[in-house]
Amino acid sequence: MDSIGRRRWAIAEGYIPSQSTGPAPTMTSHETACLLNTGDRDAQVELTVFFKDREPAGPYRVTVPARRTLHLRFNDLKDPEPIPRDTDYASVLMSDVPIVVQHTRLDSRQAENALMTTIAFSE
């Protein structure tokens, strides 16, 4: 299969609640970037996180193997620093090969959970 997607993606909305309801880790409130690499080469992806009142964090680096998907929880990012909870942020993903990026949030602060997903903006 040919590679599909783009090399630059933006997710303008991000927020990880510090509270959760339900069993961890499945029901822990989180943000996820779902990365799809349909090509024949591994994708080297750099993620930079932007805030309203401080300098950006990153880059965070991940590899999406060829012909695979990676569901990257922002909650799990640690290097160079964890993403702060209860803080508005946005992110930009840069890949060396075309990929597709979808953004998902699970907000389980109350028993009535909310799940939101959308395709990221590509250029």
Side-chain angles (χ1 to χ4, degrees):
M1 173 182 268
D2 291 334
S3 295
I4 61 172
R6 303 283 182 153
R7 294 178 187 222
R8 296 192 301 185
W9 292 86
I11 302 170
E13 196 280 334
Y15 184 86
I16 304 172
S18 61
Q19 304 275 319
S20 298
T21 301
T26 305
M27 297 308 294
T28 301
S29 294
H30 65 271
E31 297 268 334
T32 302
C34 305
L35 313 176
L36 172 63
N37 178 5
T38 63
D40 292 330
R41 287 184 31 223
D42 291 355
Q44 305 304 317
V45 180
E46 288 189 353
L47 169 72
T48 302
V49 178
F50 295 84
F51 304 94
K52 67 178 181 178
D53 58 358
R54 59 168 274 203
E55 288 298 306
Y60 301 87
R61 292 180 173 87
V62 297
T63 300
V64 184
R67 298 176 307 283
R68 299 291 185 269
T69 185
L70 173 68
H71 288 211
L72 177 67
R73 278 194 184 196
F74 284 63
N75 304 46
D76 296 338
L77 296 172
K78 303 287 187 245
D79 186 21
E81 64 183 90
I83 305 296
R85 304 309 188 254
D86 300 322
T87 302
D88 295 330
Y89 66 88
S91 55
V92 171
L93 295 93
M94 304 287 287
S95 177
D96 65 340
V97 298
I99 61 172
V100 175
V101 178
Q102 182 173 330
H103 171 239
T104 301
R105 171 187 294 148
L106 172 65
D107 185 342
S108 66
R109 287 179 281 186
Q110 35 185 34
E112 298 77 19
N113 296 316
L115 182 68
M116 181 268 313
T117 189
T118 187
I119 197 74
F121 173 81
S122 66
E123 179 178 73

